[in-house]
Amino acid sequence: KSDSDTYSCDIGDAQSRAKLTVQETPVLFKQELQNEEAKEGKQVRLTCELSKPGTPVKWMKGDTILYASEKYEFKQHGTVAELIIRDVKSVDA
């Protein structure tokens, strides 16, 4: 997208110009989240893979946005996004 601009070829007495518009491809899930089971008190890791590296993700439980804390840890490496839930309880289901 950042390559979108006007480009020109200059030969001194004349110029030729063209406008380049780059359309971004939509981000898709290459691998979706999978259902998990965990024993109470343990840690669980939810992982998904996206089609574009560095895509910002928002983690949610139901309709509630999750924020990094002692309970929740977020990791993102390239196209892989992870949510780590520590000390799971029945209310985390």
Side-chain angles (χ1 to χ4, degrees), residues 15-65:
Q15 271 189 346
S16 179
R17 292 177 183 258
K19 183 175 181 178
L20 172 64
T21 304
V22 179
Q23 297 176 344
E24 288 187 273
T25 56
V27 178
L28 303 171
F29 286 101
K30 289 174 71 177
Q31 178 185 343
E32 296 197 13
L33 293 173
Q34 301 296 309
N35 294 334
E36 295 286 341
E37 287 187 24
K39 292 187 185 265
E40 198 167 41
K42 297 292 183 182
Q43 173 178 294
V44 69
R45 182 182 308 258
L46 301 176
T47 303
C48 63
E49 185 175 0
L50 310 168
S51 60
K52 270 188 174 179
T55 301
V57 299
K58 175 172 50 175
W59 288 97
M60 301 179 72
K61 178 187 176 202
D63 293 330
T64 304
I65 296 172

Side-chain angles (χ1 to χ4, degrees), residues 17 32 44-45 50 55 67 73-74 77 85 90-91:
R17 292 177 183 258
E32 296 197 13
V44 69
R45 182 182 308 258
L50 310 168
T55 301
Y67 296 96
E73 180 182 351
F74 311 126
H77 305 283
I85 306 171
S90 58
V91 294

